[in-house]
Amino acid sequence: MLLCLAGATEDQREFCGSSLLSSFPGFGLGRVFGSGGVLSIRRKTSSPFFSSICFSEPAVTDIAMPFEAEVVHELPDDLAAAIGHVMVKYARLEHSLTMLIGLLLQLNKAEARIALREPRAADRLDIVLDLFAIKDIKIISDVTMLKSLVTESTSGRDLLAHGIWLKHPLNGDLYIRQTRGKWPKNLSRNQTVKRAVFPQSFPYSVNECRKTIQTINKALAAVASLGEELDKALQAFPERFREPSPVLNPLGIQNPRGN
C-alpha cells in the first residue's frame, strides 16, 4: 500500500493510510487519527502522515485523511551538527565504560580492545558492576540512576543512528521514524503494538538533540564518579587486582610457524 509521489522514487516516500486499521481489529475508529497518525501530546496537534498508528485524546473523534511523507536524506546543517555531537558523546560513553572494565581487570589497552570487543553500553555497565561485586568493592554511586542514564542515552543515540527522516508534506517539519520497541500503551488503548510492525514517528529538532546530549553528559559524569571509586579501591585494596601485563608485540604481528 505505497502510493507514489510525483517524481519520487520508492525510497523517497512513505505512505500511511487509514486502510491499515484493519490490521488492528478491536481498536475501533471513533478516536483514531488514521493509521498513519501521530498525535503530539506535547503540542496537542495531530500529524497523520507517517507509517505509524496513534490514538488521540478522548475529546478528538475525527478520522484524518492519510498523507504521503517524503523520506529525507539531507538535513539542515545545525541539526546534522547536533546529531554528530550526539554520536561523538555516546562513543565517549562507551569508551569510558570499556576503560573501567580494563582497569578492573588490569588489562592493557590492546588486551581490552581484543578481549572486550564492542558490546552494548548497558552490557558494558553490567560487566563493570559484576566486577565490582566479585572484588567485594562497595559502590556508593547511585547505580539505578546510572543504569537509567545509560539506557536513555542509548535509546536517544540509536534513534538518530537508525531512524528514517520524514518531511511533513504541508509545513516541511521534520519527523524521525522509530521501529524499535512498542507503542506507549496510552497511545494504543492499552494494546501491544510493535513499532517494527507499525512504526511510530516523532517531531524532532535540534532541541531534542540537545536533550540527548545532556543525558549523555549526565551518564558520563556518573561513570566518572564510578571511576573515582575504583581509583580509591585500587589504592585501598591492591591485593584484589592483578598486575597489568606489558605489550611485547605492539603491532600484534603473527609470524608463521617456524619463522
Side-chain angles (χ1 to χ4, degrees):
M1 286 182 291
L2 182 66
L3 300 184
C4 296
L5 286 170
T9 58
E10 184 173 348
D11 66 345
Q12 292 176 320
R13 55 187 184 265
E14 284 279 327
F15 173 68
C16 316
S18 58
S19 59
L20 291 178
L21 288 171
S22 60
S23 301
F24 299 92
F27 285 164
L29 300 178
R31 294 169 183 169
V32 179
F33 271 89
S35 71
V38 176
L39 180 69
S40 171
I41 299 300
R42 184 180 69 242
R43 299 183 183 181
K44 303 297 183 183
T45 59
S46 61
S47 309
F49 35 81
F50 303 102
S51 56
S52 52
I53 186 167
C54 186
F55 300 88
S56 70
E57 294 175 311
V60 183
T61 58
D62 295 330
I63 301 175
M65 295 298 292
F67 291 83
E68 289 173 330
E70 181 182 358
V71 176
V72 177
H73 300 294
E74 298 290 337
L75 299 175
D77 289 345
D78 59 342
L79 179 56
I83 292 172
H85 196 181
V86 169
M87 299 303 161
V88 172
K89 283 282 187 180
Y90 186 78
R92 181 183 171 189
L93 175 61
E94 290 181 315
H95 178 72
S96 297
L97 289 167
T98 297
M99 290 301 98
L100 267 183
I101 299 172
L103 190 56
L104 279 158
L105 295 175
Q106 289 294 282
L107 302 175
N108 60 53
K109 293 181 180 180
E111 290 172 333
R113 289 190 295 268
I114 293 169
L116 301 177
R117 301 298 181 179
E118 296 182 354
R120 296 167 57 252
D123 292 336
R124 300 183 207 208
L125 178 56
D126 284 341
I127 295 172
V128 168
L129 299 178
D130 285 341
L131 290 173
F132 264 91
I134 65 173
K135 292 180 180 297
D136 197 24
I137 302 171
K138 183 179 179 181
I139 297 176
I140 301 174
S141 300
D142 188 338
V143 172
T144 300
M145 182 190 70
L146 177 53
K147 286 184 176 181
S148 177
L149 287 171
V150 168
T151 298
E152 188 176 348
S153 297
T154 300
S155 296
R157 177 266 179 191
D158 286 352
L159 178 63
L160 293 172
H162 305 294
I164 296 297
W165 291 89
L166 306 170
K167 181 184 290 186
H168 189 304
L170 299 179
N171 58 28
D173 286 349
L174 291 175
Y175 279 64
I176 191 167
R177 190 188 69 178
Q178 186 172 21
T179 56
R180 294 185 177 184
K182 300 179 179 65
W183 276 77
K185 290 294 183 71
N186 65 310
L187 297 181
S188 62
R189 293 188 178 174
N190 211 35
Q191 301 295 318
T192 299
V193 179
K194 294 181 179 179
R195 293 190 181 111
V197 176
F198 206 54
Q200 183 179 8
S201 299
F202 308 89
Y204 205 96
S205 67
V206 173
N207 288 334
E208 279 69 37
C209 272
R210 289 171 180 160
K211 292 176 184 177
T212 298
I213 291 169
Q214 290 173 358
T215 300
I216 297 174
N217 282 336
K218 291 178 182 178
L220 282 167
V223 171
S225 295
L226 201 57
E228 291 174 0
E229 292 189 44
L230 177 55
D231 287 339
K232 293 178 180 178
L234 282 165
Q235 295 178 6
F237 313 109
E239 70 280 0
R240 302 182 190 182
F241 300 88
R242 62 175 63 89
E243 289 292 327
S245 301
V247 179
L248 303 179
N249 183 2
L251 297 182
I253 297 175
Q254 301 180 20
N255 295 319
R257 182 177 297 179
N259 293 343

